[in-house]
Amino acid sequence: MGDTSARSHRAPVPRPDGAGRDLTSLPKAHLHLHLAGAMRPATLRELAARYGVPAPAHDGRGVKGWAEFQQLYDTARAVIRTPDDIGRVVAEAAADDAADGCGWLELQVDPTSYAETMGGVRAALEAVLAAAASAPIPVGVMVASSWARPPDHAERLARLTAAYADAGVVAFGLSNDERHGEVAAFVPAFRLVAEAGLLASPHSGFYTAAPHVRDCVHLLDAARIGHGTSAVGDPQTLALLAERRVTLEVCPTSYPPFGVHALDEVPVQRLLAADVPVALGSDDPLLFGVGLAGQYAICRDLLGLSDDQLATLAGHSIEGSAAPPEVKRDLRTRLDDWRRPERFQGTAP
């Protein structure tokens, strides 16, 4: 599977004055990471060379718009062709997250993207589940359809998701541009996964306004929302998210390339002030160039969050996860230890 021990490009953004606690030691869960977008740049280059796929020039520092994003993401998907390829990507992603202090990872995948080369949708999903089971940290799998695919495609994937509910699949989602689908059309798919006891987390509120986020909560019974930052402008939506404890998976580096938010204007502080749970994610570090601990560093260094607020975000990621109870207990205990002031005597504030 290649070397999974070396740190990748995914490093925390450094604080200019060098102050602040070590964010890689902050116990946390990672709830928003796509399989292809989790690939290391070096792995992309190696697999592209192996399969004769032209690899776009990419320095790992972030894409500059939709065209570059789509080209790079499509290339990453195209070079994942065997169970060993999946195993390598999953192992490296989990190792990178472990180095960033992550104790539970939920990896998002549409198995139909790999069905042709893997021998079918079930074979593709089983390859991901096998890789997750052998990863260096606990990994759950979120099966995701796409807002751009027909609702019956989502229903087929929902049935597959339910069939593997006791085999490592923990959640069901909808990825891609949420403007391509109507929320109500996906109700049957999400009803199937709810009946299987699985968590629902559709993308929403990236390009769409706050009412779309509300619809995902009301109609799809979403326990989490991928992104959801448009909710910040609507008190009704904020109140709903706070009351139902719906966690927003906020990925700071995902927004500037598409003009959604400037990096120093991502509304994490405003969401916390409204008592909305926020879990930071890296989304696609291959494309955006920053890993999980780096997202926390951005919140500290650019958005002005305190160490206590960063610990609150980590707590939200743990509570909003689909991790088994014993994993949550361990992460909570470690987080309580991280919060203790005496543990940081001599550390700059």
Side-chain angles (χ1 to χ4, degrees):
M1 283 186 202
D3 181 9
T4 62
S5 62
R7 283 303 305 273
S8 75
H9 65 297
R10 300 201 229 165
V13 175
R15 186 168 180 166
D17 59 11
R21 300 178 185 178
D22 176 15
L23 296 176
T24 64
S25 70
L26 173 63
K28 56 185 78 73
H30 194 178
L31 310 184
H32 197 114
L33 182 66
H34 298 269
L35 176 66
M39 190 182 298
R40 293 175 178 174
T43 300
L44 174 62
R45 292 191 293 270
E46 182 181 328
L47 293 178
R50 177 184 302 170
Y51 296 122
V53 175
H58 180 59
D59 60 8
R61 297 182 184 179
V63 296
K64 299 175 179 64
W66 183 261
E68 185 180 355
F69 171 91
Q70 196 64 59
Q71 181 187 29
L72 189 57
Y73 198 91
D74 287 346
T75 301
R77 271 195 305 218
V79 301
I80 299 175
R81 300 189 177 189
T82 70
D84 282 346
D85 296 339
I86 286 180
R88 176 175 179 177
V89 173
V90 173
E92 290 179 352
D96 291 342
D97 272 2
D100 276 353
C102 178
W104 169 261
L105 166 62
E106 293 180 26
L107 198 58
Q108 189 168 157
V109 61
D110 180 347
T112 60
S113 298
Y114 310 100
E116 184 175 350
T117 60
M118 298 281 176
V121 176
R122 285 181 176 269
L125 179 57
E126 289 175 0
V128 176
L129 291 170
S134 61
I137 58 174
V139 176
V141 174
M142 176 190 291
V143 175
S145 187
S146 168
W147 285 104
R149 301 290 294 271
D152 61 350
H153 175 79
E155 289 179 50
R156 288 194 295 272
L157 280 181
R159 292 188 186 92
L160 180 68
T161 299
Y164 285 84
D166 296 321
V169 173
V170 298
F172 182 75
L174 285 171
S175 62
N176 210 318
D177 187 337
E178 68 268 27
R179 294 173 296 186
H180 289 308
E182 295 294 330
V183 177
F186 292 93
V187 167
F190 279 83
R191 186 177 296 125
L192 288 168
V193 295
E195 290 170 354
L198 296 171
L199 184 147
S201 180
H203 284 47
S204 180
F206 189 100
Y207 286 121
T208 54
H212 192 277
V213 176
R214 290 203 306 274
D215 285 347
C216 286
V217 176
H218 286 306
L219 298 180
L220 305 183
D221 199 22
R224 299 202 314 251
I225 296 289
H227 304 295
T229 57
S230 68
V232 76
D234 182 70
Q236 181 182 354
T237 304
L238 291 175
L240 174 69
L241 297 172
E243 178 186 358
R244 295 204 183 183
R245 309 309 295 162
V246 176
T247 302
L248 299 188
E249 303 159 6
V250 176
C251 308
T253 50
S254 298
Y255 310 125
F258 308 111
V260 176
H261 304 289
L263 195 56
D264 60 355
E265 296 176 349
V266 179
V268 176
Q269 289 271 27
R270 294 168 64 190
L271 292 168
L272 290 179
D275 196 30
V276 174
V278 174
L280 297 182
S282 66
D283 204 354
D284 299 291
L286 169 67
L287 288 80
F288 301 120
V290 179
L292 185 58
Q295 309 297 331
Y296 282 80
I298 287 167
C299 287
R300 179 191 63 194
D301 302 342
L302 295 182
L303 302 181
L305 272 70
S306 66
D307 287 335
D308 186 64
Q309 287 176 308
L310 296 173
T312 295
L313 294 177
H316 289 167
S317 74
I318 296 164
E319 298 308 321
S321 76
E326 63 274 13
V327 173
K328 285 189 174 184
R329 281 195 300 269
D330 176 65
L331 285 170
R332 289 190 198 107
T333 299
R334 290 164 50 199
L335 180 59
D336 288 343
D337 183 60
W338 192 92
R339 283 181 181 270
R340 288 191 293 113
E342 61 270 24
R343 189 171 181 266
F344 300 98
Q345 289 179 355
T347 301

